[in-house]
Amino acid sequence: MPTVVLRPRRAPFPASRERAVPRYYFQVHDGAFRPDREGTELADLASARVAAVELAGSLLKEGAEAFWRGHDWRVDVEDVSGSLLFALRVDAIPAGAPISPSA
């Protein structure tokens, strides 16, 4: 008869020890509204800020010509409840145009 080795079962972590990874939604406004319906899991708010800058840089690079059409251009970052955590706003101001303070 073969020998059977029984190993103790690992108990799952209790719910209190599990840490959910936050999901952030990057809503792009660039003359049109491009909603983020999936979101991105990131470690924390600092990581979301870096991701927002990287996303903005990539989108601006891809659409550099369209950027100068004068549309409001920003990335709103929201949590799973839809609450705004922060916004990254980019403005293009042609020479001679009045510059108003940021709101």
Side-chain angles (χ1 to χ4, degrees), residues 1-7:
M1 181 176 244
T3 305
V4 177
V5 177
L6 298 176
R7 295 186 177 143

Side-chain angles (χ1 to χ4, degrees), residues 44-77:
D44 53 26
L45 189 59
S47 299
R49 288 181 176 142
V50 169
V53 171
E54 290 172 347
L55 172 63
S58 173
L59 293 172
L60 288 168
K61 183 176 181 178
E62 291 171 12
E65 186 176 314
F67 176 70
W68 288 97
R69 293 191 185 134
H71 299 292
D72 179 35
W73 204 105
R74 71 182 195 279
V75 177
D76 293 343
V77 179

Side-chain angles (χ1 to χ4, degrees), residues 23-29 33-42 51 55 75-80 82:
R23 184 171 293 270
Y24 299 90
Y25 295 82
F26 297 82
Q27 314 297 2
V28 176
H29 304 265
F33 174 59
R34 295 197 269 164
D36 177 2
R37 300 194 193 288
E38 295 180 23
T40 303
E41 288 185 345
L42 296 165
L55 172 63
V75 177
D76 293 343
V77 179
E78 301 173 350
D79 64 14
V80 294

